[in-house]
Amino acid sequence: MPAPQRAPLRRALLASGSLAALLLMPPALGDVSPAAGLPLEEQVEICAACHGSDGNSTRERTPSLAGQPPLTITNQMIYFRERLRQAEEMTPQARGLSDAEIQALAAYYADQPVATPAGEPDADLMARGRELSRSQGCGSCHTADYSGREQMPRLAGQREDYLVHAMRAYRDHTRGGPDTTMIDIMRGVSDEEIEALAHYLAHAGG
C-alpha cells in the first residue's frame, strides 16, 4: 500500500498556523545554528545579542520577544528553519534547531515581562492610532488589549520602529512567509497611518 501523501495537508495547515502541521516537517538540512544542541541558558545568551537578555529588544528594528504567545515564536522560528520565511540573520540562527529546542525558547520568552515603553506617548498620535486600530480590526486577531494569542503576536509594548518596519513590509509585499492575512489588512495604508498605529500599539498597556 503506498505511503500517504502529506505535502498538500502540510501546506494547508501551515497556512492556517497549525503547530501540529509545522511539527510534521523534519529539520532542514545544511548549516546548523550555533545554538543547536546547547542548553537553554546558552541559547538565550546567543539570542540576547539581538533581542535583549530578557527578551526586550534595544536594537533598532529588532522585535522584542518578551510576552509573546509561545505559538507565535514557535511558528516563526520553524518558518525560518524551513526557509518558508527568509531573513539575513534569523534564517541561519534557526537552522538545525529541533522542535523541542524551539518550543523551549518560545516558552522562556513567553514568561518574560514586557518592559514599559520608553518616552511619553504623543496624544495626537495615540488618538489617531487608536482610531485606526479599531477601523482596521487589529483587536479581532491580536485581542482587545493587543497581548496576542496563539499564532497572533503581541503588539502591545513592541518596539515602535519594528512595528513600522513590519507593517510597511506587509503592505509592500517584502515580508516573506506563509502569513498572508496582514498583506490584505495593510493594503493601501499610508506611511503616516502606519506611524500612528505603531506609536499607539507600542504604548498600549504602558
Side-chain angles (χ1 to χ4, degrees):
M1 182 175 180
Q5 296 182 1
R6 294 191 299 180
L9 175 62
R10 286 182 185 174
R11 286 195 293 270
L13 292 177
L14 277 168
S16 70
S18 169
L19 176 62
L22 290 169
L23 297 185
L24 289 172
M25 303 181 72
L29 300 176
D31 296 337
V32 175
S33 164
L38 295 178
L40 176 62
E41 294 78 8
E42 295 181 33
Q43 291 179 337
V44 168
E45 287 181 10
I46 293 174
C47 299
C50 295
H51 297 282
S53 58
D54 59 356
N56 288 285
S57 172
T58 58
R59 186 180 181 188
E60 183 180 2
R61 297 202 317 183
T62 301
S64 292
L65 304 180
Q68 289 292 340
L71 185 56
T72 294
I73 297 175
T74 298
N75 278 9
Q76 295 304 316
M77 287 290 290
I78 295 178
Y79 293 158
F80 284 127
R81 186 187 72 187
E82 305 300 332
R83 294 187 175 182
L84 296 170
R85 180 181 171 196
Q86 298 274 3
E88 181 179 352
E89 294 184 345
M90 278 306 304
T91 299
Q93 289 296 333
R95 297 301 299 278
L97 290 177
S98 68
D99 296 334
E101 287 174 318
I102 288 173
Q103 288 173 302
L105 282 166
Y108 169 81
Y109 284 115
D111 286 341
Q112 302 309 302
V114 180
T116 302
E120 292 296 320
D122 179 280
D124 291 338
L125 280 177
M126 289 294 286
R128 180 63 175 140
R130 184 181 297 108
E131 176 186 341
L132 286 165
S133 71
R134 290 172 179 168
S135 65
Q136 295 295 111
C138 301
S140 63
C141 289
H142 298 276
T143 72
D145 62 355
Y146 309 107
S147 59
R149 61 183 174 87
E150 300 172 346
Q151 73 268 23
M152 270 69 79
R154 178 187 181 94
L155 304 179
Q158 183 57 269
R159 282 187 63 93
E160 186 171 340
D161 62 335
Y162 174 73
L163 290 171
V164 169
H165 172 69
M167 286 190 279
R168 284 178 178 169
Y170 279 122
R171 183 196 63 190
D172 299 339
H173 295 197
T174 57
R175 178 177 171 125
D179 305 323
T180 58
T181 302
M182 282 297 298
I183 293 174
D184 291 332
I185 289 173
M186 296 308 300
R187 185 175 289 113
V189 179
S190 69
D191 284 345
E192 291 77 12
E193 289 171 326
I194 285 175
E195 289 167 8
L197 266 170
H199 188 77
Y200 171 69
L201 293 169
H203 290 275

